[in-house]
Amino acid sequence: MGWNSWNHFECKVSDAIIRAQADAMISSGMKAVGYLYVNIDDCWQGKRDAQGNILPNEKFPDMKALGDYIHSKELKFGIYSSPGPKTCAGYEGSYGHEEQDAQTYAAWGVDYLKYDWCSAKGDQRAAYAKMRDALRKTGRPIVYSLCQYGHQRVWSWGASVGGNLWRTTGDITDNYDRMIVIGFGQNGLERFAGPGHWNDPDMLEVGNGGMSEDEYRTHMSLWCLLAAPLLAGNDLTKMTPATLAILTNPEVIAVDQDPAGIQGHRVWQEGPLEVWMKLLADGSKAVALFNRSGSDAVVTVSFDDIGVGDSATVRDLWARRDLGSFDRSFSANVPRHGVVFIKFRG
Ligand code: GLA
């Protein structure tokens, strides 16, 4: 869990912006519910020096000092590069400098690397394994995030090249139609995810303004059911109370962070109405009733479809309220593009 600069700031990043986001991570209460990584995405790179060492550009005067600042808040520091000669935005990539760059990142105190295919060519597995080895050689634990948009069924080999997470799709945008194509498209990938090696349906757009509150609740609920990495992608210094509530509901986050690390899947669908389920470590079940249609609808979960007995107690996770005991099925009115996210015990 953490934050990444791309979805909101794209290339408009700077040392001051990253520090302000780190500050806001604390003051907003995001850190208190588990958001930890402060990740700079593309556009921090400058040129290489005569020895080939990567230098940050003028917007980042001192990366080690920035890393120290982030660490002083007990947060973690993430950075971005490419196995190709250029990053997606045309900045300097790591091609031919993998070991040198890994050593530089470690010296700056980097804890997380997003490694984005972009201009790279050739054998993807070999390219990702090369940076894995370079990171290991530094002796510093660095989370390794593969970003190659789900090509070549990366979920089947991402862990073998050291990936802790791998993007399963192209880029998300702050748009309901794009978000649901990515999110609902994850069904079937659940057997490839588990503790330490996760499917990544891309970063969150919650709070960026392109979706309604119901749509953002759908986004957050779905990502939590998927045990997806939760990297907020909004400006943390300017959050509405609604955005903050969606990003920090502790019961919703607990589904994402459940120690069993089981990715949820679809258990029922009827046209635009869907029910998804995630088994939790304590045997209870997180269940989301989604309504992808254009008008409000009643969605019913049959207990047979989620493997609970005749009777179960139900808790509404967004409302943080017990709804009582139900027999054989549970029904709820779900707003258009919205979700009812509940937990079953029984
Ligand atoms: C690709 C990635 C994005 C972002 C940009 C940066 O499009 O998928 O997440 O990192 O590159 O240029």
Side-chain angles (χ1 to χ4, degrees), residues 6 41-42 80 88-89 114 116 118 147 149 167 171 202-203:
W6 184 255
D41 205 272
D42 208 346
Y80 167 101
C88 292
K114 173 175 170 183
D116 194 350
C118 305
C147 178
Y149 336 113
R167 282 271 299 279
D171 289 13
D202 207 356
M203 303 171 293

Side-chain angles (χ1 to χ4, degrees), residues 122-154:
D123 182 341
Q124 296 206 356
R125 296 182 206 206
Y128 279 104
K130 191 168 200 174
M131 186 49 101
R132 169 202 60 197
D133 294 343
L135 293 172
R136 283 193 184 154
K137 236 172 145 172
T138 68
R140 185 175 175 85
I142 297 177
V143 172
Y144 191 28
S145 161
L146 315 188
C147 178
Q148 46 75 284
Y149 336 113
H151 294 164
Q152 302 174 12
R153 299 182 62 247
V154 63

